Amino acid sequence: MAKQSNLDIRNYVFYQVFPRQYADTHDFKGVIKDLKRIKDLGVDVLYLLPIHPIGKKARKGSEGSSYSIYDYYQINPAYGDMSDFDQLVSKAHELGLKVMIDIVINHTSRDSILTKEHKDWFYHDEQGNFANRVGDWSDITDLDYRLKEVWAYMQDMLIFWSRKVDGFRCDVAPLIPIDFWIETRTKINQLKPDFIWLTESVHPGFIKYLRDMGFECHSDAEMYQAFDICYDYDIADEMNAYFKDHNELSTWMDAIKKQEVIYPKNYMKLRNFENHDQPRLRSLVKNESHFIQMLALMFFLKGPTMLYAGMEYQEDHMPSLFEIDMLKWDKTLSLEPLVKTLSNIKKDVLFRNGIFNIIKQDDIVVIKYELNDEVLLGIFNLGNLNETDIPLVDGTYINKINEASIDIKNGMIKLDNHPIIIKTSKECSR
C-alpha cells in the first residue's frame, strides 16, 4: 500500500547544488551568499550533494567522490564545520527555502570510521577484503543490511540529521531493504510529518543485473511504499533515445503516460533532464530554442521539477565528481527570468490535483491538465513547426510565458520559438 504523501510537493522546484563546484570558495559560505538569488528563481527546496568528509583510501581523483563517506556525523572540512552548515540551513529557512541533503547509506569509503569500528557490518570477498556488489565503485564498500545493528546505527544517524533539515535524497535507495525505509520513515515522520523523501530509484537494467546476481533491488513501484518521490530512471532509455537523435519523441511520451497507470495514484516523479550523474541538457539539444522548449517542458510534466545548478545559465559541461571543476556562470546566457516565470506557473493547483494527459507527441508536445472548470495547456514546439491544431475553441488567449496574445483560428495556432502555456476554462476546450 502506498504511504500518504504531501501532494503539495508536485508544485515544488528543487535546486541541486554541489558545493565544491558552486562558488569560488568551494564551501557552504559560497552557497549562503547566493541563497537569495536561488530563492528568487522560485525554488522551494535547496538540495545539497553529500556534505560529509570523504575517505582517502582508493579515492578517485584528487578530491574524491562525495559519495565515498568517511564519517556520517561530521561535515566535510572543505565545506566548513557544523556551525557553517547550521548557518546555511538557518539562512535558507529565513528565506522560506527548505533544505534537503543527500544521504548515502548503502556504502561507505573503504577507510571509514565504521570499517574500523564495525568491520563485520560490511560485505567481504573470499579473501576477507572489503567488497561491494557493484564492481565499478572501487572507492567504497557495501554495508550489510541483513544485520539489525546496521539498521539501528543508520536510523539513529538519520534521525540526527532529520532534526536539522527538511528532507533526504537517498542514494541508490533500492539496494537497501524496503522494510528498512518504511520503518525509518515512520520514526522520522513522527518527528517531522512533512519531511520529504526522495529516492534515487535506479535504471531497470541495473535492477535486473543485481537481481540476477542474487541481490535485492527494488522497483519504483515498491519504493513508493516508503518514498514520496522517485527518480525518472525507469524511462531513461526512452528519454536518452530522444536525446540521441530527436526522432523518438513519441516513444518517450508513451513511457511517461504509462507511469500514470503502473504507479500509485499519488505517485510523484522528479522531472529533471540533467543531474550530477547525467550529461547537461544543453549539450544534448540542437540549439538554444530547443533548450528553452525542453526547459519549459520539464517544468510542465507532472511531478516536482529539479534544476541542477547552472541549468539557468545553459551550462553544457557536467562537473567532475572527483576534481575541482567549477561552473562557468556565463551571465550572457542567463535564462533566470524564464525560470522564475516557469517556477511561478508551477505553483498552480492544477499541477497538484489536475487530470494529466499528453494529447500530442510528434515533433510537438501538447499537455493538458484539467480540474473542475479550469484547463491548463502547454505547447512545446520541439520540431520547429510553424503551426499546429490545438483543442481550444477559436479566439484570443494569453501565453503565460510572456503575456503575449495568442490567436487560434480554425482550430490552428501559429508557433514560434517560445513555449506556450494557456490557462482557460473548460468551455473553451474542445
Side-chain angles (χ1 to χ4, degrees):
M1 179 179 294
K3 53 41 230 107
Q4 292 295 314
S5 289
N6 176 10
L7 291 183
D8 290 346
I9 295 171
R10 284 179 175 162
N11 298 99
Y12 284 4
V13 176
F14 292 75
Y15 191 82
Q16 182 185 27
V17 169
F18 188 0
R20 177 195 296 166
Q21 319 294 24
Y22 194 80
D24 291 341
T25 53
H26 316 294
D27 59 12
F28 292 143
K29 290 179 180 178
V31 180
I32 290 171
K33 290 179 180 178
D34 204 36
L35 284 177
K36 187 177 186 306
R37 185 194 68 86
I38 294 171
K39 176 62 178 178
D40 287 346
L41 288 174
V43 171
D44 302 282
V45 183
L46 174 71
Y47 154 37
L48 300 171
L49 264 66
I51 60 174
H52 306 298
I54 298 170
K56 294 181 179 179
K57 186 174 183 179
R59 174 179 284 192
K60 292 184 176 182
S62 60
E63 299 294 325
S65 169
S66 300
Y67 293 86
S68 181
I69 290 173
Y70 175 77
D71 186 344
Y72 288 107
Y73 282 95
Q74 299 299 321
I75 296 292
N76 184 341
Y79 293 169
D81 56 24
M82 190 68 78
S83 65
D84 294 316
F85 177 72
D86 289 341
Q87 183 184 25
L88 170 57
V89 175
S90 177
K91 294 290 187 183
H93 285 169
E94 287 175 11
L95 290 168
L97 286 166
K98 298 179 185 295
V99 179
M100 181 172 73
I101 59 172
D102 211 324
I103 63 145
V104 187
I105 63 170
N106 174 70
H107 49 260
T108 75
S109 69
R110 297 208 165 198
D111 57 352
S112 69
I113 293 292
L114 291 183
T115 61
K116 298 167 184 174
E117 296 180 353
H118 299 285
K119 183 177 180 179
D120 57 320
W121 286 8
F122 294 84
Y123 283 94
H124 297 83
D125 61 22
E126 294 179 354
Q127 289 73 43
N129 301 312
F130 289 118
N132 46 280
R133 291 161 288 177
V134 181
D136 288 343
W137 298 350
S138 58
D139 56 339
I140 56 91
T141 181
D142 285 3
L143 286 149
D144 188 348
Y145 277 83
R146 294 172 296 185
L147 304 174
K148 289 299 182 180
E149 297 93 333
V150 175
W151 285 43
Y153 179 92
M154 289 302 175
Q155 286 176 345
D156 287 346
M157 184 272 294
L158 294 177
I159 288 170
F160 170 83
W161 288 105
S162 73
R163 297 182 188 278
K164 292 178 176 288
V165 298
D166 308 290
F168 292 146
R169 180 268 191 189
C170 302
D171 188 64
V172 292
L175 279 64
I176 295 168
I178 190 65
D179 288 343
F180 169 86
W181 292 119
I182 293 171
E183 185 176 297
T184 306
R185 179 186 176 122
T186 299
K187 290 175 181 288
I188 289 177
N189 278 40
Q190 288 173 351
L191 303 172
K192 288 191 171 181
D194 291 328
F195 203 75
I196 301 168
W197 293 87
L198 166 64
T199 168
E200 185 203 17
S201 46
V202 294
H203 192 284
F206 190 51
I207 296 174
K208 182 70 162 61
Y209 165 72
L210 284 175
R211 288 178 175 180
D212 287 352
M213 291 177 64
F215 296 113
E216 190 67 65
C217 189
H218 300 294
S219 68
D220 285 20
E222 292 173 292
M223 297 306 287
Y224 279 118
Q225 296 175 74
F227 286 85
D228 302 308
I229 322 163
C230 287
Y231 266 44
D232 235 352
Y233 286 158
D234 57 317
I235 60 170
D237 287 345
E238 293 83 355
M239 183 178 75
N240 290 332
Y242 170 72
F243 286 150
K244 185 175 181 180
D245 61 16
H246 307 127
N247 291 322
E248 296 293 336
L249 179 59
S250 185
T251 302
W252 178 28
M253 293 299 111
D254 281 340
I256 292 174
K257 289 191 287 189
K258 191 175 181 180
Q259 292 175 333
E260 283 282 284
V261 296
I262 63 175
Y263 298 130
K265 185 177 180 180
N266 63 345
Y267 86 99
M268 287 182 270
K269 280 285 180 177
L270 186 69
R271 305 301 183 178
N272 64 298
F273 298 160
E274 60 181 47
N275 59 51
H276 67 282
D277 280 328
Q278 303 299 327
R280 290 286 194 175
L281 175 64
R282 190 64 180 87
S283 71
L284 302 172
V285 296
K286 293 176 280 191
N287 49 42
E288 183 178 70
S289 295
H290 190 201
F291 178 79
I292 288 171
Q293 296 283 348
M294 290 292 293
L295 178 67
L297 171 62
M298 185 179 76
F299 272 84
F300 208 78
L301 290 172
K302 183 176 180 178
T305 302
M306 187 177 80
L307 295 161
Y308 186 24
M311 191 178 194
E312 69 273 31
Y313 285 90
Q314 302 188 61
E315 290 275 355
D316 58 5
H317 171 66
M318 182 174 70
S320 169
L321 278 178
F322 315 117
E323 307 289 351
I324 298 288
D325 191 9
M326 288 289 296
L327 299 175
K328 295 193 295 286
W329 299 116
D330 185 348
K331 294 190 176 183
T332 66
L333 299 175
S334 174
L335 296 173
E336 289 172 294
L338 174 61
V339 169
K340 184 173 182 177
T341 297
L342 292 169
S343 296
N344 289 336
I345 293 171
K346 188 73 179 183
K347 303 302 184 281
D348 196 298
V349 70
L350 273 82
F351 287 106
R352 184 190 192 278
N353 298 330
I355 298 170
F356 165 82
N357 281 295
I358 300 174
I359 57 179
K360 289 182 75 73
Q361 55 188 61
D362 188 7
D363 289 325
I364 183 172
V365 175
V366 179
I367 297 173
K368 180 165 71 171
Y369 290 86
E370 298 178 82
L371 180 65
N372 300 324
D373 189 43
E374 294 184 314
V375 171
L376 190 63
L377 203 68
I379 304 158
F380 309 98
N381 186 13
L382 305 182
N384 199 29
L385 303 181
N386 294 319
E387 63 177 7
T388 189
D389 60 299
I390 206 73
L392 294 177
V393 300
D394 287 2
T396 300
Y397 300 83
I398 299 298
N399 184 0
K400 291 175 69 68
I401 293 284
N402 56 9
E403 299 302 315
S405 296
I406 301 290
D407 292 323
I408 298 178
K409 297 180 180 179
N410 301 317
M412 302 295 291
I413 186 171
K414 298 291 185 182
L415 302 174
D416 56 23
N417 293 331
H418 294 96
I420 298 172
I421 296 176
I422 295 170
K423 188 171 184 180
T424 187
S425 62
K426 269 192 180 178
E427 64 183 21
C428 293
S429 180
R430 293 191 288 113

